[in-house]
Every structure is written in C-alpha cells, then in structure tokens.
Amino acid sequence: MDLGRVQRAAVNLFATKGFAATGIRELGAEAGINSATLYHYVGSKESLLALIIRSCLTELTDAGTRAMRCSADPVVQLAGLVSSHVGITAVNQLTARVAEYEMRALTEVNRAELQAMRDEYEMLFGQVLERGHRVGSFEIEDTTMCRLAILEMCTGVAHWYRPGGRLGLEEVQRYFVGAACRLIGVDRSELDGADYLQEVRRLDSEPAAHSADVWGTGTLAY
Amino acid sequence: MDLGRVQRAAVNLFATKGFAATGIRELGAEAGINSATLYHYVGSKESLLALIIRSCLTELTDAGTRAMRCSADPVVQLAGLVSSHVGITAVNQLTARVAEYEMRALTEVNRAELQAMRDEYEMLFGQVLERGHRVGSFEIEDTTMCRLAILEMCTGVAHWYRPGGRLGLEEVQRYFVGAACRLIGVDRSELDGADYLQEVRRLDSEPAAHSADVWGTGTLAY
Amino acid sequence: MDLGRVQRAAVNLFATKGFAATGIRELGAEAGINSATLYHYVGSKESLLALIIRSCLTELTDAGTRAMRCSADPVVQLAGLVSSHVGITAVNQLTARVAEYEMRALTEVNRAELQAMRDEYEMLFGQVLERGHRVGSFEIEDTTMCRLAILEMCTGVAHWYRPGGRLGLEEVQRYFVGAACRLIGVDRSELDGADYLQEVRRLDSEPAAHSADVWGTGTLAY
Amino acid sequence: MDLGRVQRAAVNLFATKGFAATGIRELGAEAGINSATLYHYVGSKESLLALIIRSCLTELTDAGTRAMRCSADPVVQLAGLVSSHVGITAVNQLTARVAEYEMRALTEVNRAELQAMRDEYEMLFGQVLERGHRVGSFEIEDTTMCRLAILEMCTGVAHWYRPGGRLGLEEVQRYFVGAACRLIGVDRSELDGADYLQEVRRLDSEPAAHSADVWGTGTLAY
DNA sequence: CATGAATGAGTCTTCATTCAT
DNA sequence: TATGAATGAAGACTCATTCAT
C-alpha cells in the first residue's frame, strides 16, 4: 500500500549498515510488514535499491537542469548547481548517501543505467566549468580537477549534515556557493542580486526522522 | 610475512564489492590460500578489516603530525596536511577507500577505537584552521565547515585518482594545496619557498596493480 | 463450467514440469485467471490433481468394464481392454501421463482412494488373463508378469504418442492388440470379425493443442 | 567422504517423492549429514540428479554395447539387450525409476546431454530390430512401434519388481526375453544354447535396502 | 603451516493459502 | 465472481568459523 514506507525503511538501513549487510527480514521489520509482503511492492532487494538511487539521480538532474536554464551567466549557473546539489543532498541526506555508496552493489544492467545517469548529471558541472573557463569568467587551472573537487566537497555534505544542527539549510548552501566561488577564483559579490536558490524537495525515499545510530561518525562532525 | 598478501587481497575485494559482500572463500582465493589457512594470519574477517583501517589511519596521523611539526606557519602547516592527505590517499587509494567506506562494518569495540583515531586525525586540520583563523592568517567564515569541505574534497581523491593517469601525483597534490589556499582565502604565493611535501609511502595493504574493474565509475572520471 | 479450462491448464503444466514443480500462480496464468480465483473452482492444488486423476481412472474403468461385457471370449475381452486402454491413453495422453506419474504427489487419503481405483482397473486385465489361462485359450507362463508386461507396454503409449504423427489412432490400437495377442500366444486371426473397438472420448482435462515443449523426449520417439 | 551414500539417499527420496518434492534438508537427513555439508560432495541439487541419471545411462549403454558384440545373430543380440536392460533395471530399480521419471527436472544443458545418451542407448534396440527385420529373422510390422513396445515393457520392471519377491532375477529376465521373442515373432527355442546373460552390477546410487514406503503401488503389484 | 570436512545460522526468494474488498 | 494484499513456512543455497588431520 505504501511503497514510500518501504523505501524509507530501506534507506534507513542501507545508509546505516550498507546494502549487503541489510537482510530482507530486517527490511520488512523496519517497514512494518512481513518480508514476503515486501515482494509485492518490490521485485527484489536490488530493484528496491535501484529505485532509490534512480529517484535520487533523477531529482539531482532535474534540479540541475533547471539551474542551468535560470541564467546564461556561468557564475550564476554554477551557484545554482552547487546550491541545488547541496540542498538536495542535505535534505535527502540518507538517500544521497545510499546513492553514493551503494552503486557498486548493483548488478550490471542497473549499474550501467544509473552510472550513466550520474555521469550525465556530473557533466552539467563540467559544462559550466568549461564555458566559464573559455569565456574567461573563471580562473581555473584544470577544469576536470576543479569539477571533481567541487563535487566531492558538496557531496560530502551527506556525510556530516544534520537537520536541526548549528547551521540552517540555506546557510550551508550559501557557504558552499561561496566555497565554489573561491575555487573558481570568482568574487562572491558577483552573485549579488542573482536568485539561484531553488526550493528543495524531500524525496519519498527519505526517512523523516533519523534514528540516532545513523550517525556512525564521532563527536567531531559539524 | 605473507600477511601483506592477505591484506592486499582483502583491500582489492573490499574496495570493489564492499566488506559485507566479500566472502571469506573469495578472500582466500584472491590471496592464493585456503580459506581456513586465512585464519592463521588473521583472527577473523572483521579483525582483518580493522587491521587495514588501523594501518591507514596510523599512516595518516603520523604523516599529519610530521607536517604540523615542519613549520609554525599555519599556511605551511595546512599545505603539509593537505599534501600529505592527498598523497597518502592517492598512493593508497584502495586502502583509503576501504578506510572511508567500511568503518560502519566494524562492531562496537573496533569502531570506537578507529573512529577515535579518525577524529584525532581530523582534529589536526581543525586545530590548524582554528589557529590560522585566530591569528588572522586565514580568511574564514566558519572553521568547522571549512574543515569538512577541505577534508571531503581531499578524501574524494580516493574516488577518482588513477595512478598513471593524466596528472602525476605531485601535480595533484599541488592542485589541492592550491584549492585549499583558495578556500581559506590565502594567496598561494605565500607558500613560495616552503617545503611542505613529504615522501609518500605505499602501505602493505595497498595492492600493486589495480584490476580494471575496481573502477566502477563511468567515463567521466578524471 | 470453466473448470475444464483450469484442468487443462493443470494437465499441461503437470505433464511438462510435474506437480511439485508447478506453482499455483503459474497455474492461474496458464488458465488465464488470478491464482486466488483458482480457489473458487478447486479447493486446493492437490484436490485439483486428484480430480484429474480420478476422472482419468474412471474413464479407464468404465471403458474397460464395457469391453468386458462385449463378449464372453477372453481373447475378444483382452482385445477390448487393450484397445480401450491404448485409445484412451493416446487421446488423453497428457492426462494419462499425469495419472501415471503424479499419484505419488497425493497425500494419504487421496492416494488410497485413487490407488484402489487403479488396482481395481488393472484387475480387469488380471481377471481376463486368469480366465483365458484357465480355459486354455491363452498360452501363458505367468499371468501376473503377463499382466504387468501388457499394461506397461500399453501405458507407455502416453510417453511417445503424438496426435497427427505417422500412425493414426486405430493403427496404433490395432498394433497393440496384435502385440498383446502375441504375448498371450494367440493368433491374431482369432479376432477376425470381432468388434472390440470402442469410441474414445477426450476428457475435459485433456488440453486440445499440445505445446511443442511438452515433449521432453529426443528425436528418436515414434 | 562417501559420495555413494549421498547418491543412495537421493535416489531413495527422488524415487519416492520425486526430485522437486524432495528438500535439500531432507536429503541431508537421509544421508546422515548436514544439508550444508552436502554441498561439499555435490555442486547442487540438480547436479546430484544429473550424476545419478548419467551413471545409470552409462551402465545401460555399456552393457547394451557388450550385448551387441556377443553375437552376430539379431535374435541373440536382442535377447542380450533385453536381459541386460531388465537385469539392470531390476537390480537398480530405484535408480532406474529416477532416470526415467526425473529427466524433466533437469535444466537445458543437462537434459540435452542425458537425453542424447538415452537416445543413443535406445538406438541399439532400433538397430537390432531393423537388421533382424531386414534379414528376415524377425516377423515385424513396424520396427519403431516394436522398439517402443519392448522398451516400455522392460522399463516397466522398475515399477513393480521387488528383490526377494516371488520370482528371482534370472526368471524375470528370461520371461522378458521370451516376451520379446514373441513380439518379434521368433520361437524362443532359437536361443537354445546361446549365452546372452551378463552379470548385473549394482550401481553406487542404488540403495541396498528399500524402505517400505518406496512402494506407492497397491496390493496388486507382482 | 595448511587444508578438506563439517555445521548452524544465515542468505534471498517463492510457496500454497487466506481474506477483505 | 474475482482479486490484490498479506503471511508463515519452506525453498535452495552460502556464510563465517572450527577442527581433526
């Protein structure tokens, strides 16, 4: 009846223990249904994972594409990409973590499809960096490494962000937009007046309340 | 003695498929020994993982500590930390990946110990950032987020770096030192003349030649 | 009403894959109905099987009994039994196969009932052979083995016969009547003028068209 | 340590309940080992079945080939084939039953291989019948149906024979040789002086003592 | 030092069946 | 009449680990 509930249970467990270490019975228990019933909603454990990752990548790509259309200025575009990426990652943090860590658990067909989606998404960053570099807006040595650095930095938000923590969502987004500007050698004031912030949606797969032990990390984080 | 071979086999498999998805028999096969023999070298599957992670964190901490002692200038210290982190991560890329991803596979005791080690290591970055901020060398808004951004960005090297790729190790190190400088609002020229590069050691646990399929990532990477 | 469709679907699958290897969902799919609906027509998977076997044995016994009443001459009686057995087996070949192979899948009560039916039927052959032997019409060493030999030989028709094959139904029936005559040491000409052929009915449970792969057998058969 | 024991346990259960209805745990219990241990001896449930059927067909073919070489006289050759077939089938009755009934449980590759073996074996009968027909030794209408009739009749021995029953092995063999002679229109006395009986071997897969319930058949049989 | 044999608990998935709708 | 949802038990098979040799 509620596929969302199953997804959220799965994300909770996959993010905490990992896909391979999560049993199907455990999944059922977390979702409040019998493990056999789970197969009514989902063809297999893997296809459940694929569903989760796919919806996450779709959201990222859609929002990224919208960000690209918002402006013709590479600086604003990058700001849009970064804030969108950070926003989605922070709000759907466990889902994002699963999408990052568990790609390898997929078998050939699913992996090929979803890796292609991720590549397509990351290319958005590559394109903006290339263009900003070409037209002289950015001061970059190596666009490839710059793309990787920005993406890893932003994706990392999924590793430490906690809703209700010291900083609010928009503050974090703004911080990373600023960081990205520094990495591309652009003064942040260039963005003054630009409206690059999109609304961020919580995915169906994102658990509402995080159980405490989801945070394996120590006392240092954030 | 041959423990190194076991470790390398383990890292190869853990990095590719993950700890939970790797069987003990598979490990034996990769290492060229019977799975039962494996228990002569290693107490259990988990203690093998713990050994790998521990040696990686020890290496990071030792090198980081050396970097801190090299200079009193926060800028040089941070450059040392970053270059060391990137260097170790790149050279021992699969080991680093395992140390990053598989912490959650550990049971309580091991996790507590190793998480403490990681926290202690990351604190080195925090301390330098704090001091650089306090003495006015750095231009930072939020030291915590800055630390997280730098660390995630640098650790990400383990996700895409390939030995023998387009850029050499030192180029990559230098790039990230430069990136870190930008993030802390320091001109890279401040490092002119400073010798912050340490030699980077390949760990016993790092496989010499990476099988191609270790790289799940698509065509975009690096 | 549509019970026939269910039976035919069942026979198709039971004959091909066996009772135990056939799922209830598969049955539903083959019959074109939901697996739950199946329980409206049939109490359980086993009772469906019992129904099929029962109707097959009833047909055999009824026809056998009629054959016995047709004549007082043991030779003609046996010819009637054999032609009837072969005819029913050939025309309802899949049903007959199920009735032969899947008796063991039944639980106690059903098995007892249906095994008794089969015994009763086979006794018809035993009685004729006994009498033919006693009155000196047959030249037999051992009536029991003779009965078994004739029955196995005739039942075997279900294993290789194909409607539309090289030989027609009546030809096959006649062949086996001749073979039986030889086995009991009687010249076939003794049957000249005797009308022992009955019309053969297709059972409700017999699928009309056999899917090709029902025939697991190789190129040799018939 | 004793693959034979596993095979015998399997044959016992497969013959009684059928392959599909036999659980792996049941197999282990019957063989006196843990179900997991079973996988040390046998790759899978199916490969266990294939092993059993293969060894049975190999025995039949070997003995049949020897019978063919014993004489150039088609009558003697057929007598050799029949006595060998009946002998092996009777002595390895449960194995033979499994080989007959459970071919369909095999998946493609195994089925193709083993069906080819059975076809090759049955061709021996076909060849003898063809030649005896051609040279005028036999009085046959249709060699194909004659082959099928003889084979079904003889294979049927596996359905009712009981060691220690009323008739001894050689008596049964001699009976079926006589029956085959009648079916091909040859006087049994033609075999006087011919030595066509081979020694019959018990296969590794044949259980020594049959548990009572192996006999699903009723009171009539033999 | 090395290994084949062994196992209880676990894996994911399918089973026949029931029942509210 | 018909079905989607639901489930406890069972399916085949793999697991990490131990131990006698």
Side-chain angles (χ1 to χ4, degrees):
Chain A
M1 213 259 236
D2 202 348
L3 180 67
R5 194 137 75 108
V6 172
Q7 283 183 257
R8 284 187 289 278
V11 164
N12 239 329
L13 292 169
F14 292 168
T16 315
K17 333 181 38 175
F19 175 80
T22 300
I24 215 87
R25 241 107 62 171
E26 226 170 334
L27 272 172
E30 180 89 4
I33 57 176
N34 184 286
S35 71
T37 306
L38 212 142
Y39 283 84
H40 270 273
Y41 296 100
V42 139
S44 69
K45 195 185 161 195
E46 178 180 348
S47 74
L48 172 56
L49 174 61
L51 174 68
I52 290 163
I53 300 184
R54 191 179 298 114
S55 74
C56 181
L57 292 177
T58 301
E59 184 75 6
L60 283 170
T61 303
D62 288 355
T65 306
R66 278 197 301 274
M68 295 288 278
R69 293 210 192 96
C70 259
S71 164
D73 180 355
V75 178
V76 178
Q77 286 181 319
L78 187 66
L81 284 177
V82 165
S83 69
S84 151
H85 187 93
V86 167
I88 292 173
T89 299
V91 169
N92 304 283
Q93 156 180 205
L94 296 186
T95 303
R97 221 190 284 186
V98 169
E100 183 195 359
Y101 279 53
E102 303 298 349
M103 199 82 107
R104 65 178 172 194
L106 298 168
T107 51
E108 231 162 335
V109 179
N110 279 322
R111 176 145 71 221
E113 176 208 340
L114 295 172
Q115 185 61 52
M117 285 183 71
R118 179 162 277 276
D119 284 354
E120 189 196 9
Y121 170 64
E122 300 197 348
M123 270 202 309
L124 295 178
F125 286 76
Q127 286 158 9
V128 171
L129 290 172
E130 290 286 355
R131 202 162 64 87
H133 180 56
R134 205 176 340 108
V135 303
S137 303
F138 301 170
E139 189 188 329
I140 310 182
E141 300 169 44
D142 188 301
T143 50
T144 298
M145 295 193 78
C146 186
R147 187 193 79 231
L148 293 164
I150 291 178
L151 273 167
E152 293 289 348
M153 179 179 80
C154 294
T155 299
V157 167
H159 303 158
W160 52 262
Y161 181 76
R162 300 187 201 194
R166 184 166 53 87
L167 301 176
L169 175 61
E170 291 203 10
E171 281 171 303
V172 174
Q173 287 178 290
R174 244 186 289 271
Y175 176 85
F176 278 89
V177 167
C181 283
R182 286 187 163 185
L183 285 178
I184 60 173
V186 163
D187 196 293
R188 188 200 189 119
S189 63
E190 284 192 31
L191 288 168
D192 286 352
D195 178 28
Y196 52 81
L197 276 183
Q198 295 182 47
E199 209 172 351
V200 179
R201 197 167 68 83
R202 153 167 286 141
L203 294 169
D204 279 352
S205 58
E206 187 64 18
H210 302 149
S211 55
D213 57 277
V214 160
W215 310 99
T217 50
T219 52
L220 263 193
Y222 179 50
Chain B
M1 205 263 265
D2 258 344
L3 179 64
R5 191 135 74 109
V6 172
Q7 283 187 88
R8 284 187 289 277
V11 165
N12 239 330
L13 292 169
F14 292 168
T16 315
K17 331 180 42 177
F19 175 79
T22 300
I24 214 90
R25 235 97 78 162
E26 224 172 337
L27 274 171
E30 179 90 2
I33 57 176
N34 185 285
S35 70
T37 307
L38 213 142
Y39 282 83
H40 275 268
Y41 294 98
V42 142
S44 71
K45 197 185 159 194
E46 178 180 348
S47 72
L48 173 56
L49 174 61
L51 174 67
I52 290 163
I53 300 183
R54 191 179 298 115
S55 74
C56 182
L57 291 177
T58 301
E59 183 76 6
L60 283 170
T61 303
D62 288 355
T65 306
R66 278 197 301 273
M68 295 288 278
R69 293 208 192 99
C70 257
S71 164
D73 179 355
V75 179
V76 179
Q77 285 180 318
L78 186 66
L81 283 178
V82 164
S83 68
S84 152
H85 187 92
V86 168
I88 292 173
T89 299
V91 169
N92 303 282
Q93 158 176 207
L94 297 186
T95 303
R97 224 191 282 186
V98 169
E100 182 194 359
Y101 279 54
E102 304 297 349
M103 199 84 105
R104 65 180 172 190
L106 298 169
T107 50
E108 231 162 334
V109 180
N110 279 321
R111 176 144 73 221
E113 175 208 341
L114 294 171
Q115 185 60 52
M117 284 183 72
R118 178 161 280 275
D119 285 355
E120 186 195 11
Y121 170 64
E122 300 197 348
M123 269 201 310
L124 296 178
F125 285 77
Q127 287 158 9
V128 171
L129 290 171
E130 289 287 357
R131 201 161 64 86
H133 179 57
R134 203 172 344 103
V135 303
S137 302
F138 302 168
E139 189 187 329
I140 311 182
E141 300 169 43
D142 187 302
T143 50
T144 298
M145 295 193 79
C146 187
R147 185 193 82 230
L148 293 164
I150 291 178
L151 272 167
E152 293 290 349
M153 178 179 80
C154 293
T155 299
V157 168
H159 302 159
W160 53 262
Y161 181 75
R162 298 185 202 197
R166 186 166 55 86
L167 301 175
L169 175 62
E170 290 202 10
E171 282 171 302
V172 175
Q173 286 178 291
R174 245 185 289 271
Y175 176 85
F176 277 89
V177 168
C181 285
R182 286 186 163 184
L183 285 178
I184 60 173
V186 164
D187 195 294
R188 187 200 191 123
S189 63
E190 284 193 30
L191 288 168
D192 286 351
D195 178 28
Y196 52 82
L197 276 182
Q198 296 181 46
E199 210 173 350
V200 179
R201 197 167 68 84
R202 154 166 286 141
L203 294 169
D204 278 352
S205 58
E206 186 65 18
H210 303 147
S211 56
D213 56 277
V214 160
W215 311 98
T217 49
T219 52
L220 263 194
Y222 178 52
Chain C
M1 205 262 267
D2 256 345
L3 179 63
R5 191 134 74 107
V6 173
Q7 283 187 89
R8 283 187 290 278
V11 165
N12 239 330
L13 292 169
F14 292 169
T16 314
K17 332 180 41 179
F19 175 79
T22 300
I24 214 92
R25 236 96 79 164
E26 222 172 338
L27 273 172
E30 179 90 3
I33 58 176
N34 184 285
S35 70
T37 307
L38 213 142
Y39 282 83
H40 276 270
Y41 294 100
V42 139
S44 71
K45 196 185 160 194
E46 178 180 348
S47 73
L48 173 55
L49 174 61
L51 175 67
I52 290 163
I53 299 184
R54 191 179 297 114
S55 74
C56 182
L57 292 176
T58 301
E59 184 75 5
L60 283 170
T61 303
D62 289 355
T65 306
R66 279 197 300 276
M68 294 288 278
R69 293 211 191 96
C70 258
S71 164
D73 181 354
V75 178
V76 177
Q77 285 181 319
L78 186 66
L81 284 177
V82 165
S83 69
S84 152
H85 187 92
V86 167
I88 292 173
T89 299
V91 168
N92 302 284
Q93 158 178 202
L94 296 186
T95 303
R97 225 191 282 186
V98 170
E100 183 194 359
Y101 279 55
E102 303 297 350
M103 199 82 107
R104 66 182 172 189
L106 298 168
T107 50
E108 233 163 334
V109 180
N110 279 322
R111 176 144 72 219
E113 175 208 342
L114 294 172
Q115 186 60 52
M117 284 183 72
R118 180 162 277 276
D119 285 354
E120 187 195 10
Y121 170 64
E122 299 196 349
M123 270 204 307
L124 295 179
F125 286 77
Q127 287 158 9
V128 171
L129 290 171
E130 288 287 356
R131 203 161 63 86
H133 180 55
R134 206 175 338 106
V135 303
S137 302
F138 301 169
E139 188 188 331
I140 310 181
E141 298 168 46
D142 188 300
T143 51
T144 297
M145 295 192 78
C146 186
R147 186 193 82 231
L148 293 164
I150 291 177
L151 272 167
E152 292 290 348
M153 179 178 79
C154 294
T155 298
V157 168
H159 303 159
W160 52 262
Y161 181 76
R162 299 185 201 197
R166 185 165 56 85
L167 301 175
L169 175 61
E170 290 201 10
E171 281 171 303
V172 174
Q173 286 178 292
R174 244 186 289 272
Y175 176 85
F176 277 89
V177 168
C181 284
R182 285 185 165 186
L183 284 178
I184 59 173
V186 162
D187 195 295
R188 185 196 190 125
S189 63
E190 282 191 34
L191 288 168
D192 285 352
D195 178 28
Y196 53 82
L197 277 182
Q198 296 180 47
E199 210 172 348
V200 180
R201 197 167 70 82
R202 153 166 285 140
L203 294 169
D204 278 354
S205 58
E206 186 65 18
H210 302 147
S211 58
D213 57 272
V214 160
W215 311 99
T217 50
T219 54
L220 264 194
Y222 180 51
Chain D
M1 213 261 236
D2 204 348
L3 180 68
R5 194 136 76 110
V6 173
Q7 282 183 260
R8 283 187 290 277
V11 165
N12 240 329
L13 293 168
F14 292 169
T16 314
K17 332 181 41 178
F19 175 79
T22 300
I24 213 88
R25 270 181 303 234
E26 225 171 337
L27 272 172
E30 179 89 5
I33 56 176
N34 185 285
S35 72
T37 307
L38 212 142
Y39 283 85
H40 269 272
Y41 296 100
V42 140
S44 70
K45 196 184 159 195
E46 178 180 348
S47 74
L48 173 55
L49 175 60
L51 174 67
I52 290 164
I53 299 184
R54 191 179 298 114
S55 73
C56 182
L57 292 177
T58 300
E59 184 75 5
L60 283 171
T61 302
D62 288 355
T65 305
R66 278 196 302 273
M68 296 287 278
R69 292 209 193 99
C70 259
S71 164
D73 180 356
V75 179
V76 178
Q77 285 180 320
L78 187 67
L81 284 177
V82 165
S83 68
S84 152
H85 187 93
V86 168
I88 292 172
T89 300
V91 168
N92 303 283
Q93 158 178 204
L94 296 186
T95 303
R97 224 190 281 184
V98 170
E100 182 194 0
Y101 278 53
E102 303 298 350
M103 199 82 106
R104 66 180 171 192
L106 298 169
T107 50
E108 231 162 336
V109 179
N110 279 322
R111 176 143 74 222
E113 176 207 340
L114 295 173
Q115 186 60 51
M117 284 182 71
R118 178 161 280 276
D119 285 354
E120 188 196 9
Y121 170 65
E122 300 197 347
M123 270 203 307
L124 295 179
F125 286 78
Q127 288 159 8
V128 171
L129 290 171
E130 289 287 356
R131 202 162 64 86
H133 180 56
R134 205 174 342 105
V135 303
S137 302
F138 301 169
E139 190 187 331
I140 311 182
E141 299 168 44
D142 188 301
T143 50
T144 297
M145 296 193 77
C146 187
R147 186 193 81 231
L148 293 163
I150 291 177
L151 273 168
E152 292 290 348
M153 178 179 80
C154 294
T155 298
V157 168
H159 302 158
W160 52 262
Y161 181 76
R162 298 188 202 196
R166 185 166 55 86
L167 301 175
L169 175 61
E170 290 202 10
E171 281 171 303
V172 174
Q173 285 178 289
R174 244 186 289 271
Y175 176 86
F176 277 88
V177 167
C181 283
R182 285 185 164 185
L183 285 177
I184 60 173
V186 163
D187 195 294
R188 187 200 191 122
S189 63
E190 283 191 31
L191 288 168
D192 286 353
D195 178 28
Y196 53 82
L197 276 182
Q198 295 181 47
E199 209 172 350
V200 180
R201 199 166 69 83
R202 154 166 285 141
L203 293 169
D204 279 353
S205 58
E206 186 65 18
H210 303 147
S211 56
D213 58 279
V214 160
W215 310 99
T217 50
T219 53
L220 262 193
Y222 179 53

